[in-house]
Amino acid sequence: MLKVESDGTISINRGDTGTITVTANNEEYEFQLNDVITLRVFEKKGYTKEPVLEKSVILSEITTEVDIFLIEEDTLFCPETNKAITYWYSISLNEDVILGYDEDGAKQFIVYPAKVKGDDNNG
């Protein structure tokens, strides 16, 4: 399960897959051929450290939306635990941050414990 809230908070269960769709704030903006969109996830209060997850997409066409696909291995950076762990994240366009820490604070990337197969009550 991957969920993106209106405030930018991203939630996912450890080991799950999902797609994050990135659009520009300006509805008329078009991402260009060879633009690089990068998702970086950091330890909470750790923007100055190395990211625990970095995933980039190089565009092969002009578009107004970019999908960042997370596979199971991408969400395994979080230790196995029985509680949610909150990280911070940023999304950049050609290394310029377009979504991240702003006047509202850090953008949160919350990883919930892995779902137990067959248990619909977990997560």
Side-chain angles (χ1 to χ4, degrees):
M1 165 223 57
L2 183 136
K3 186 175 183 180
V4 180
E5 302 289 338
S6 61
D7 67 355
T9 299
I10 298 172
S11 302
I12 192 164
N13 287 90
R14 185 179 189 279
D16 277 3
T17 62
T19 303
I20 299 167
T21 301
V22 178
T23 58
N25 287 339
N26 179 346
E27 293 177 10
E28 297 176 13
Y29 183 82
E30 292 183 327
F31 297 105
Q32 300 299 305
L33 180 68
N34 294 320
D35 275 350
V36 180
I37 306 297
T38 304
L39 166 71
R40 290 184 178 94
V41 178
F42 302 88
E43 297 281 344
K44 192 173 183 178
K45 300 182 182 179
Y47 274 131
T48 60
K49 299 178 183 175
E50 288 296 312
V52 294
L53 171 65
E54 184 170 317
K55 188 92 176 199
S56 295
V57 176
I58 300 172
L59 302 184
S60 59
E61 63 184 7
I62 296 173
T63 183
T64 58
E65 293 184 345
V66 178
D67 288 332
I68 301 173
F69 299 103
L70 297 181
I71 60 174
E72 179 180 350
E73 290 79 20
D74 293 331
T75 61
L76 296 179
F77 63 84
C78 180
E80 289 187 49
T81 181
N82 61 355
K83 64 179 181 173
I85 299 177
T86 301
Y87 296 87
W88 289 357
Y89 78 91
S90 67
I91 295 177
S92 60
L93 165 62
N94 301 325
E95 295 305 318
D96 292 326
V97 174
I98 58 175
L99 182 62
Y101 200 102
D102 59 20
E103 62 274 359
D104 296 324
K107 297 300 177 228
Q108 296 186 353
F109 190 99
I110 302 171
V111 181
Y112 290 98
K115 284 181 140 182
V116 176
K117 291 189 183 350
D119 182 1
D120 291 334
N121 296 324
N122 185 7

